[in-house]
Short mmCIF file of all heavy atoms in Angstrom, two decimals:
data_model
loop_
_atom_site.label_atom_id
_atom_site.label_comp_id
_atom_site.label_asym_id
_atom_site.label_seq_id
_atom_site.Cartn_x
_atom_site.Cartn_y
_atom_site.Cartn_z
N MET A 1 6.30 13.29 74.85
CA MET A 1 6.50 12.07 73.89
C MET A 1 6.13 12.42 72.47
O MET A 1 6.50 11.85 71.56
CB MET A 1 5.58 11.02 74.47
CG MET A 1 6.12 10.45 75.80
SD MET A 1 7.77 9.73 75.76
CE MET A 1 7.55 8.29 74.77
N LEU A 2 5.21 13.49 72.41
CA LEU A 2 4.73 13.91 71.05
C LEU A 2 5.96 14.41 70.24
O LEU A 2 6.05 14.19 69.08
CB LEU A 2 3.63 14.96 71.22
CG LEU A 2 3.06 15.31 69.93
CD1 LEU A 2 2.27 14.19 69.26
CD2 LEU A 2 2.06 16.50 70.12
N TYR A 3 6.85 15.09 70.95
CA TYR A 3 8.03 15.63 70.27
C TYR A 3 8.94 14.49 69.67
O TYR A 3 9.31 14.68 68.51
CB TYR A 3 8.85 16.49 71.37
CG TYR A 3 10.08 17.12 70.83
CD1 TYR A 3 9.91 18.07 69.79
CD2 TYR A 3 11.33 16.83 71.31
CE1 TYR A 3 11.09 18.66 69.29
CE2 TYR A 3 12.44 17.32 70.79
CZ TYR A 3 12.29 18.31 69.89
OH TYR A 3 13.44 18.95 69.32
N ILE A 4 9.14 13.47 70.42
CA ILE A 4 10.00 12.48 69.93
C ILE A 4 9.21 11.72 68.73
O ILE A 4 9.95 11.44 67.69
CB ILE A 4 10.18 11.30 71.04
CG1 ILE A 4 10.97 11.96 72.22
CG2 ILE A 4 10.75 10.11 70.43
CD1 ILE A 4 11.21 11.06 73.44
N LYS A 5 7.96 11.59 68.75
CA LYS A 5 7.27 11.05 67.65
C LYS A 5 7.36 11.95 66.44
O LYS A 5 7.62 11.37 65.30
CB LYS A 5 5.74 10.92 68.07
CG LYS A 5 4.89 10.16 66.99
CD LYS A 5 3.42 10.24 67.34
CE LYS A 5 2.71 9.73 66.11
NZ LYS A 5 1.24 10.19 66.28
N ASP A 6 7.36 13.26 66.59
CA ASP A 6 7.58 14.13 65.48
C ASP A 6 8.87 13.83 64.85
O ASP A 6 8.99 13.90 63.57
CB ASP A 6 7.33 15.60 65.89
CG ASP A 6 5.86 15.97 66.15
OD1 ASP A 6 5.05 15.13 65.71
OD2 ASP A 6 5.60 16.99 66.77
N ILE A 7 9.92 13.81 65.66
CA ILE A 7 11.26 13.52 65.07
C ILE A 7 11.35 12.25 64.35
O ILE A 7 11.92 12.23 63.23
CB ILE A 7 12.27 13.52 66.30
CG1 ILE A 7 12.41 14.91 66.96
CG2 ILE A 7 13.67 13.12 65.71
CD1 ILE A 7 13.24 15.00 68.12
N LEU A 8 10.77 11.20 64.79
CA LEU A 8 10.80 9.93 64.19
C LEU A 8 10.07 9.98 62.84
O LEU A 8 10.56 9.49 61.83
CB LEU A 8 10.12 8.87 65.08
CG LEU A 8 10.95 8.41 66.28
CD1 LEU A 8 10.22 7.48 67.15
CD2 LEU A 8 12.28 7.84 65.84
N VAL A 9 8.94 10.68 62.78
CA VAL A 9 8.26 10.89 61.54
C VAL A 9 9.08 11.57 60.54
O VAL A 9 9.16 11.24 59.35
CB VAL A 9 6.94 11.55 61.80
CG1 VAL A 9 6.30 11.98 60.46
CG2 VAL A 9 5.93 10.72 62.58
N SER A 10 9.75 12.67 61.02
CA SER A 10 10.64 13.52 60.11
C SER A 10 11.71 12.60 59.51
O SER A 10 12.03 12.70 58.40
CB SER A 10 11.21 14.65 60.87
OG SER A 10 10.18 15.45 61.38
N LEU A 11 12.42 11.79 60.40
CA LEU A 11 13.40 10.88 59.84
C LEU A 11 12.97 9.94 58.85
O LEU A 11 13.59 9.66 57.99
CB LEU A 11 14.05 10.16 61.12
CG LEU A 11 14.93 11.02 62.07
CD1 LEU A 11 15.33 10.19 63.27
CD2 LEU A 11 16.11 11.48 61.27
N LEU A 12 11.74 9.43 59.07
CA LEU A 12 11.14 8.52 58.15
C LEU A 12 10.96 9.15 56.81
O LEU A 12 11.25 8.55 55.79
CB LEU A 12 9.81 7.91 58.71
CG LEU A 12 9.34 6.74 58.10
CD1 LEU A 12 10.17 5.55 58.17
CD2 LEU A 12 7.91 6.45 58.64
N VAL A 13 10.42 10.39 56.81
CA VAL A 13 10.22 11.09 55.65
C VAL A 13 11.57 11.27 54.86
O VAL A 13 11.59 11.08 53.61
CB VAL A 13 9.57 12.44 55.87
CG1 VAL A 13 9.63 13.34 54.59
CG2 VAL A 13 8.18 12.27 56.31
N VAL A 14 12.58 11.64 55.58
CA VAL A 14 13.96 11.94 54.89
C VAL A 14 14.44 10.58 54.36
O VAL A 14 14.85 10.55 53.22
CB VAL A 14 14.92 12.48 56.01
CG1 VAL A 14 16.42 12.36 55.43
CG2 VAL A 14 14.55 13.87 56.43
N PHE A 15 14.31 9.49 55.13
CA PHE A 15 14.78 8.18 54.67
C PHE A 15 14.07 7.88 53.39
O PHE A 15 14.67 7.30 52.50
CB PHE A 15 14.50 7.19 55.81
CG PHE A 15 14.96 5.83 55.39
CD1 PHE A 15 16.41 5.54 55.42
CD2 PHE A 15 14.07 4.71 55.10
CE1 PHE A 15 16.86 4.28 55.03
CE2 PHE A 15 14.54 3.62 54.69
CZ PHE A 15 15.92 3.30 54.71
N GLN A 16 12.76 8.04 53.38
CA GLN A 16 11.95 7.63 52.08
C GLN A 16 12.34 8.48 50.90
O GLN A 16 12.32 7.98 49.77
CB GLN A 16 10.50 7.86 52.39
CG GLN A 16 9.90 6.84 53.29
CD GLN A 16 8.49 6.94 53.63
OE1 GLN A 16 8.01 8.08 53.57
NE2 GLN A 16 7.85 5.86 53.96
N GLU A 17 12.75 9.69 51.17
CA GLU A 17 13.16 10.61 50.04
C GLU A 17 14.58 10.35 49.51
O GLU A 17 14.89 10.63 48.40
CB GLU A 17 13.13 12.06 50.51
CG GLU A 17 11.75 12.66 50.69
CD GLU A 17 11.77 14.02 51.23
OE1 GLU A 17 12.83 14.51 51.66
OE2 GLU A 17 10.59 14.66 51.12
N MET A 18 15.44 9.60 50.33
CA MET A 18 16.69 9.29 49.88
C MET A 18 16.81 7.92 49.18
O MET A 18 17.39 7.00 49.70
CB MET A 18 17.63 9.26 51.07
CG MET A 18 17.74 10.63 51.72
SD MET A 18 18.39 11.98 50.72
CE MET A 18 20.07 11.96 51.27
N LYS A 19 16.10 7.78 48.10
CA LYS A 19 16.11 6.57 47.40
C LYS A 19 17.23 6.43 46.49
O LYS A 19 17.76 7.46 45.90
CB LYS A 19 14.80 6.40 46.60
CG LYS A 19 13.54 6.10 47.44
CD LYS A 19 12.31 6.13 46.59
CE LYS A 19 11.12 5.73 47.43
NZ LYS A 19 9.85 5.98 46.62
N LYS A 20 17.66 5.19 46.24
CA LYS A 20 18.76 4.96 45.30
C LYS A 20 18.16 4.96 43.89
O LYS A 20 17.09 4.42 43.74
CB LYS A 20 19.59 3.71 45.66
CG LYS A 20 20.34 3.78 46.98
CD LYS A 20 21.15 2.62 47.17
CE LYS A 20 21.89 2.63 48.45
NZ LYS A 20 22.57 1.34 48.80
N TYR A 21 18.90 5.28 42.93
CA TYR A 21 18.46 5.15 41.48
C TYR A 21 19.55 4.46 40.74
O TYR A 21 20.72 4.67 40.87
CB TYR A 21 18.22 6.52 40.93
CG TYR A 21 16.78 7.08 41.31
CD1 TYR A 21 16.57 7.58 42.58
CD2 TYR A 21 15.77 6.98 40.42
CE1 TYR A 21 15.39 8.02 42.99
CE2 TYR A 21 14.52 7.45 40.82
CZ TYR A 21 14.30 7.96 42.09
OH TYR A 21 13.07 8.37 42.45
N ARG A 22 19.13 3.64 39.77
CA ARG A 22 20.01 2.85 39.03
C ARG A 22 19.93 3.14 37.55
O ARG A 22 18.92 3.39 36.94
CB ARG A 22 19.65 1.31 39.16
CG ARG A 22 20.59 0.34 38.51
CD ARG A 22 20.42 -1.06 38.96
NE ARG A 22 19.02 -1.36 39.47
CZ ARG A 22 18.08 -1.81 38.61
NH1 ARG A 22 18.39 -2.08 37.33
NH2 ARG A 22 16.87 -2.02 39.04
N CYS A 23 21.10 3.24 36.98
CA CYS A 23 21.22 3.56 35.45
C CYS A 23 20.82 2.28 34.70
O CYS A 23 21.30 1.21 34.99
CB CYS A 23 22.62 3.95 35.09
SG CYS A 23 22.88 4.16 33.37
N ILE A 24 19.82 2.39 33.89
CA ILE A 24 19.28 1.27 33.13
C ILE A 24 20.24 0.83 31.99
O ILE A 24 20.13 -0.27 31.42
CB ILE A 24 17.92 1.50 32.52
CG1 ILE A 24 17.96 2.67 31.54
CG2 ILE A 24 16.82 1.64 33.57
CD1 ILE A 24 16.68 2.87 30.77
N VAL A 25 21.26 1.70 31.72
CA VAL A 25 22.14 1.37 30.68
C VAL A 25 23.36 0.58 31.13
O VAL A 25 23.70 -0.37 30.56
CB VAL A 25 22.66 2.71 29.94
CG1 VAL A 25 23.67 2.34 28.87
CG2 VAL A 25 21.44 3.40 29.30
N CYS A 26 24.01 1.12 32.20
CA CYS A 26 25.21 0.45 32.70
C CYS A 26 25.12 -0.11 34.08
O CYS A 26 26.11 -0.87 34.54
CB CYS A 26 26.33 1.51 32.69
SG CYS A 26 26.31 2.66 34.01
N GLY A 27 23.99 0.15 34.81
CA GLY A 27 23.84 -0.52 36.17
C GLY A 27 24.43 0.33 37.31
O GLY A 27 24.45 -0.15 38.41
N TYR A 28 24.96 1.50 36.93
CA TYR A 28 25.55 2.34 37.98
C TYR A 28 24.45 2.68 38.86
O TYR A 28 23.27 3.04 38.43
CB TYR A 28 26.17 3.56 37.35
CG TYR A 28 26.42 4.69 38.32
CD1 TYR A 28 27.64 4.74 39.12
CD2 TYR A 28 25.47 5.76 38.50
CE1 TYR A 28 27.82 5.78 40.09
CE2 TYR A 28 25.78 6.86 39.49
CZ TYR A 28 26.91 6.81 40.15
OH TYR A 28 27.18 7.79 41.06
N VAL A 29 24.62 2.71 40.27
CA VAL A 29 23.66 3.08 41.19
C VAL A 29 24.05 4.39 41.88
O VAL A 29 25.11 4.55 42.44
CB VAL A 29 23.55 1.97 42.28
CG1 VAL A 29 22.53 2.47 43.41
CG2 VAL A 29 23.00 0.71 41.74
N TYR A 30 23.10 5.34 41.77
CA TYR A 30 23.33 6.67 42.49
C TYR A 30 22.72 6.48 43.89
O TYR A 30 21.64 6.26 44.17
CB TYR A 30 22.53 7.80 41.80
CG TYR A 30 22.67 9.03 42.60
CD1 TYR A 30 23.80 9.85 42.48
CD2 TYR A 30 21.62 9.48 43.36
CE1 TYR A 30 23.94 10.95 43.20
CE2 TYR A 30 21.74 10.65 44.13
CZ TYR A 30 22.95 11.37 44.09
OH TYR A 30 23.10 12.51 44.84
N ASP A 31 23.70 6.75 44.86
CA ASP A 31 23.36 6.69 46.32
C ASP A 31 23.32 8.05 46.85
O ASP A 31 24.40 8.80 46.79
CB ASP A 31 24.40 5.89 47.00
CG ASP A 31 24.04 5.62 48.47
OD1 ASP A 31 23.10 6.32 48.92
OD2 ASP A 31 24.64 4.74 49.05
N PRO A 32 22.15 8.60 47.20
CA PRO A 32 22.03 9.93 47.70
C PRO A 32 23.00 10.27 48.93
O PRO A 32 23.39 11.40 49.11
CB PRO A 32 20.62 10.13 48.10
CG PRO A 32 19.88 8.97 47.43
CD PRO A 32 20.89 7.81 47.26
N VAL A 33 23.17 9.22 49.68
CA VAL A 33 24.11 9.47 50.82
C VAL A 33 25.54 9.76 50.41
O VAL A 33 26.20 10.66 51.02
CB VAL A 33 24.21 8.14 51.68
CG1 VAL A 33 25.16 8.36 52.88
CG2 VAL A 33 22.78 7.84 52.30
N GLU A 34 25.98 9.28 49.32
CA GLU A 34 27.32 9.44 48.84
C GLU A 34 27.43 10.66 47.76
O GLU A 34 28.40 11.30 47.57
CB GLU A 34 27.94 8.27 48.22
CG GLU A 34 28.09 7.11 49.24
CD GLU A 34 28.63 5.81 48.61
OE1 GLU A 34 28.99 5.88 47.48
OE2 GLU A 34 28.61 4.80 49.34
N GLY A 35 26.30 10.79 47.11
CA GLY A 35 26.23 11.87 46.02
C GLY A 35 27.17 11.39 44.88
O GLY A 35 27.49 10.20 44.76
N ASP A 36 27.54 12.33 44.12
CA ASP A 36 28.54 12.10 42.95
C ASP A 36 29.45 13.22 42.97
O ASP A 36 29.42 14.21 42.10
CB ASP A 36 27.75 12.00 41.68
CG ASP A 36 28.77 11.81 40.45
OD1 ASP A 36 29.84 11.21 40.75
OD2 ASP A 36 28.44 12.16 39.33
N PRO A 37 30.44 13.27 43.95
CA PRO A 37 31.41 14.32 44.11
C PRO A 37 32.12 14.66 42.76
O PRO A 37 32.41 15.85 42.42
CB PRO A 37 32.35 13.82 45.13
CG PRO A 37 31.63 12.87 45.92
CD PRO A 37 30.70 12.27 44.90
N ASP A 38 32.48 13.71 42.01
CA ASP A 38 33.17 13.83 40.74
C ASP A 38 32.25 14.62 39.70
O ASP A 38 32.81 15.32 38.77
CB ASP A 38 33.66 12.54 40.15
CG ASP A 38 34.84 11.94 41.00
OD1 ASP A 38 35.50 12.69 41.77
OD2 ASP A 38 35.01 10.74 40.89
N GLY A 39 30.94 14.44 39.94
CA GLY A 39 30.05 15.06 38.90
C GLY A 39 29.44 16.33 39.51
O GLY A 39 28.45 16.92 38.92
N GLY A 40 29.94 16.79 40.59
CA GLY A 40 29.56 18.08 41.24
C GLY A 40 28.26 17.87 42.09
O GLY A 40 27.65 18.85 42.37
N ILE A 41 27.96 16.71 42.48
CA ILE A 41 26.86 16.45 43.31
C ILE A 41 27.29 16.11 44.71
O ILE A 41 27.93 15.07 44.87
CB ILE A 41 25.98 15.27 42.78
CG1 ILE A 41 25.63 15.45 41.35
CG2 ILE A 41 24.65 15.09 43.63
CD1 ILE A 41 24.84 16.66 40.99
N PRO A 42 27.05 17.03 45.71
CA PRO A 42 27.57 16.77 47.05
C PRO A 42 26.87 15.67 47.76
O PRO A 42 25.64 15.39 47.41
CB PRO A 42 27.25 18.12 47.80
CG PRO A 42 26.29 18.81 46.98
CD PRO A 42 26.33 18.27 45.55
N PRO A 43 27.49 14.91 48.64
CA PRO A 43 26.77 13.86 49.49
C PRO A 43 25.52 14.42 50.07
O PRO A 43 25.53 15.57 50.61
CB PRO A 43 27.75 13.51 50.51
CG PRO A 43 29.09 13.84 49.88
CD PRO A 43 28.87 15.10 49.07
N GLY A 44 24.46 13.54 50.15
CA GLY A 44 23.16 14.04 50.84
C GLY A 44 22.24 14.61 49.82
O GLY A 44 21.18 15.15 50.22
N THR A 45 22.57 14.55 48.52
CA THR A 45 21.67 15.13 47.59
C THR A 45 20.78 14.11 47.03
O THR A 45 21.11 13.11 46.47
CB THR A 45 22.45 15.68 46.34
OG1 THR A 45 23.41 16.66 46.76
CG2 THR A 45 21.54 16.40 45.35
N ALA A 46 19.43 14.34 47.19
CA ALA A 46 18.38 13.43 46.73
C ALA A 46 18.45 13.36 45.18
O ALA A 46 18.76 14.42 44.51
CB ALA A 46 17.07 13.80 47.20
N PHE A 47 18.15 12.27 44.52
CA PHE A 47 18.19 12.14 43.11
C PHE A 47 17.29 13.27 42.42
O PHE A 47 17.70 13.84 41.44
CB PHE A 47 17.72 10.82 42.66
CG PHE A 47 17.91 10.48 41.20
CD1 PHE A 47 19.18 10.18 40.68
CD2 PHE A 47 16.86 10.55 40.32
CE1 PHE A 47 19.35 9.95 39.41
CE2 PHE A 47 17.01 10.33 39.05
CZ PHE A 47 18.30 10.05 38.47
N GLU A 48 16.17 13.52 43.08
CA GLU A 48 15.34 14.45 42.50
C GLU A 48 15.84 15.93 42.49
O GLU A 48 15.49 16.76 41.63
CB GLU A 48 13.97 14.56 43.31
CG GLU A 48 13.14 13.34 43.15
CD GLU A 48 13.53 12.24 44.12
OE1 GLU A 48 14.63 12.32 44.78
OE2 GLU A 48 12.98 11.11 44.07
N ASP A 49 16.87 16.17 43.32
CA ASP A 49 17.47 17.52 43.41
C ASP A 49 18.65 17.64 42.50
O ASP A 49 19.31 18.68 42.45
CB ASP A 49 17.94 17.73 44.88
CG ASP A 49 16.66 17.84 45.81
OD1 ASP A 49 15.60 18.20 45.25
OD2 ASP A 49 16.79 17.52 46.92
N ILE A 50 19.16 16.48 41.82
CA ILE A 50 20.15 16.67 40.96
C ILE A 50 19.76 17.49 39.64
O ILE A 50 18.66 17.25 39.12
CB ILE A 50 20.60 15.27 40.50
CG1 ILE A 50 21.13 14.46 41.63
CG2 ILE A 50 21.72 15.31 39.32
CD1 ILE A 50 21.47 12.94 41.26
N PRO A 51 20.73 18.37 39.20
CA PRO A 51 20.35 19.10 37.98
C PRO A 51 20.08 18.24 36.81
O PRO A 51 20.60 17.15 36.64
CB PRO A 51 21.65 19.98 37.69
CG PRO A 51 22.36 20.00 39.03
CD PRO A 51 21.97 18.67 39.80
N ASP A 52 19.12 18.65 35.94
CA ASP A 52 18.69 17.95 34.83
C ASP A 52 19.83 17.71 33.72
O ASP A 52 19.72 16.64 32.97
CB ASP A 52 17.58 18.52 34.10
CG ASP A 52 16.28 18.41 34.87
OD1 ASP A 52 16.16 17.41 35.75
OD2 ASP A 52 15.38 19.18 34.81
N ASP A 53 20.91 18.50 33.86
CA ASP A 53 21.91 18.16 32.86
C ASP A 53 23.02 17.34 33.43
O ASP A 53 24.06 17.14 32.80
CB ASP A 53 22.58 19.55 32.44
CG ASP A 53 23.16 20.31 33.61
OD1 ASP A 53 23.07 19.89 34.81
OD2 ASP A 53 23.72 21.37 33.46
N TRP A 54 22.80 16.77 34.62
CA TRP A 54 23.76 15.75 35.23
C TRP A 54 23.66 14.46 34.33
O TRP A 54 22.74 14.13 33.78
CB TRP A 54 23.29 15.52 36.65
CG TRP A 54 24.21 14.42 37.35
CD1 TRP A 54 25.46 14.54 37.87
CD2 TRP A 54 23.88 13.05 37.52
NE1 TRP A 54 25.89 13.42 38.41
CE2 TRP A 54 24.95 12.44 38.15
CE3 TRP A 54 22.75 12.16 37.23
CZ2 TRP A 54 25.00 11.18 38.61
CZ3 TRP A 54 22.80 10.96 37.55
CH2 TRP A 54 23.87 10.35 38.31
N GLU A 55 24.91 13.90 34.24
CA GLU A 55 24.91 12.70 33.39
C GLU A 55 25.51 11.53 34.26
O GLU A 55 26.27 11.78 35.20
CB GLU A 55 25.91 12.89 32.19
CG GLU A 55 25.44 13.98 31.30
CD GLU A 55 26.34 14.25 30.16
OE1 GLU A 55 27.55 13.95 30.35
OE2 GLU A 55 26.02 14.88 29.09
N CYS A 56 25.17 10.33 33.82
CA CYS A 56 25.75 9.07 34.60
C CYS A 56 27.22 9.15 34.43
O CYS A 56 27.80 9.31 33.41
CB CYS A 56 25.23 7.86 33.88
SG CYS A 56 25.91 6.33 34.53
N PRO A 57 27.94 9.10 35.65
CA PRO A 57 29.36 9.22 35.71
C PRO A 57 30.09 8.04 34.94
O PRO A 57 31.29 8.15 34.57
CB PRO A 57 29.73 9.22 37.10
CG PRO A 57 28.48 8.57 37.84
CD PRO A 57 27.27 8.90 36.97
N VAL A 58 29.31 6.97 34.72
CA VAL A 58 29.92 5.79 34.01
C VAL A 58 29.66 5.77 32.46
O VAL A 58 30.71 5.70 31.79
CB VAL A 58 29.44 4.45 34.64
CG1 VAL A 58 30.05 3.26 33.85
CG2 VAL A 58 29.72 4.41 36.17
N CYS A 59 28.48 6.06 32.06
CA CYS A 59 28.15 5.87 30.61
C CYS A 59 27.61 7.19 29.99
O CYS A 59 27.58 7.23 28.82
CB CYS A 59 27.27 4.73 30.46
SG CYS A 59 25.52 5.07 31.00
N GLY A 60 27.36 8.20 30.86
CA GLY A 60 27.00 9.45 30.26
C GLY A 60 25.51 9.67 29.89
O GLY A 60 25.26 10.70 29.21
N VAL A 61 24.69 8.79 30.25
CA VAL A 61 23.23 9.01 29.86
C VAL A 61 22.61 10.03 30.83
O VAL A 61 23.19 10.32 31.95
CB VAL A 61 22.43 7.70 29.86
CG1 VAL A 61 22.88 6.79 28.82
CG2 VAL A 61 22.45 6.99 31.31
N LYS A 62 21.42 10.51 30.53
CA LYS A 62 20.80 11.48 31.33
C LYS A 62 20.01 10.91 32.47
O LYS A 62 19.75 9.73 32.53
CB LYS A 62 19.86 12.33 30.47
CG LYS A 62 20.51 13.05 29.31
CD LYS A 62 21.37 14.22 29.79
CE LYS A 62 21.95 14.91 28.69
NZ LYS A 62 22.84 15.99 29.12
N LYS A 63 19.50 11.82 33.38
CA LYS A 63 18.64 11.30 34.59
C LYS A 63 17.50 10.47 34.06
O LYS A 63 17.08 9.61 34.88
CB LYS A 63 18.18 12.62 35.32
CG LYS A 63 19.17 13.16 36.23
CD LYS A 63 18.52 14.42 36.98
CE LYS A 63 17.46 14.03 37.94
NZ LYS A 63 16.93 15.20 38.66
N SER A 64 16.95 10.84 32.90
CA SER A 64 15.76 10.12 32.46
C SER A 64 16.01 8.54 32.26
O SER A 64 15.04 7.80 32.10
CB SER A 64 15.16 10.69 31.17
OG SER A 64 16.14 10.78 30.23
N ASP A 65 17.18 8.22 32.21
CA ASP A 65 17.57 6.88 31.96
C ASP A 65 17.88 6.06 33.29
O ASP A 65 18.42 5.02 33.29
CB ASP A 65 18.76 6.71 30.99
CG ASP A 65 18.28 7.03 29.56
OD1 ASP A 65 17.36 6.55 29.14
OD2 ASP A 65 19.10 7.82 28.93
N PHE A 66 17.53 6.74 34.45
CA PHE A 66 17.64 6.13 35.72
C PHE A 66 16.33 5.71 36.19
O PHE A 66 15.36 6.31 35.93
CB PHE A 66 18.26 7.06 36.73
CG PHE A 66 19.75 7.12 36.57
CD1 PHE A 66 20.37 7.76 35.46
CD2 PHE A 66 20.61 6.67 37.63
CE1 PHE A 66 21.74 7.89 35.35
CE2 PHE A 66 22.02 6.70 37.51
CZ PHE A 66 22.64 7.29 36.41
N VAL A 67 16.22 4.53 36.94
CA VAL A 67 14.98 4.09 37.53
C VAL A 67 15.27 3.85 39.00
O VAL A 67 16.41 3.64 39.43
CB VAL A 67 14.57 2.74 36.92
CG1 VAL A 67 14.21 2.92 35.43
CG2 VAL A 67 15.62 1.67 37.08
N GLU A 68 14.19 3.84 39.81
CA GLU A 68 14.31 3.63 41.13
C GLU A 68 14.81 2.21 41.46
O GLU A 68 14.50 1.30 40.85
CB GLU A 68 12.86 3.77 41.78
CG GLU A 68 12.84 4.53 43.07
CD GLU A 68 11.42 4.66 43.46
OE1 GLU A 68 10.82 3.83 44.25
OE2 GLU A 68 10.77 5.68 43.04
N ASP A 69 15.83 2.23 42.32
CA ASP A 69 16.41 0.95 42.66
C ASP A 69 15.60 0.32 43.86
O ASP A 69 15.62 0.78 44.97
CB ASP A 69 17.90 1.17 43.15
CG ASP A 69 18.66 -0.11 43.06
OD1 ASP A 69 18.30 -1.00 42.36
OD2 ASP A 69 19.72 -0.13 43.83
N ASP A 70 14.82 -0.73 43.46
CA ASP A 70 13.88 -1.30 44.43
C ASP A 70 14.45 -2.18 45.46
O ASP A 70 13.93 -2.33 46.56
CB ASP A 70 12.82 -2.09 43.68
CG ASP A 70 11.88 -1.14 42.97
OD1 ASP A 70 11.74 0.00 43.35
OD2 ASP A 70 11.42 -1.57 41.85
N TRP A 71 15.69 -2.63 45.29
CA TRP A 71 16.23 -3.56 46.35
C TRP A 71 17.51 -2.94 46.72
O TRP A 71 18.29 -2.84 47.17
CB TRP A 71 16.51 -4.94 45.67
CG TRP A 71 17.24 -4.89 44.40
CD1 TRP A 71 16.74 -4.60 43.21
CD2 TRP A 71 18.66 -5.03 44.27
NE1 TRP A 71 17.74 -4.67 42.27
CE2 TRP A 71 18.95 -4.95 42.92
CE3 TRP A 71 19.71 -5.22 45.11
CZ2 TRP A 71 20.21 -5.00 42.37
CZ3 TRP A 71 20.99 -5.40 44.63
CH2 TRP A 71 21.23 -5.27 43.25
ZN1 LIG B 101 25.20 4.62 33.19
#
């Protein structure tokens, strides 16, 4: 049973790391599950793992203009 518990904990950690982020300028939401294929970001990429030179696909601002999407 301990093994199953470990798996559940791992899944929870992954889930928590895959947060959505929202562009404060245009409202675009980056979803880690979908990534940004047009911007060279493959699906499954956490926001933290996106290169710093990535830009919002809608309005072109940098990562620093994105905030955690709480809802
Ligand atoms: Zn934007």
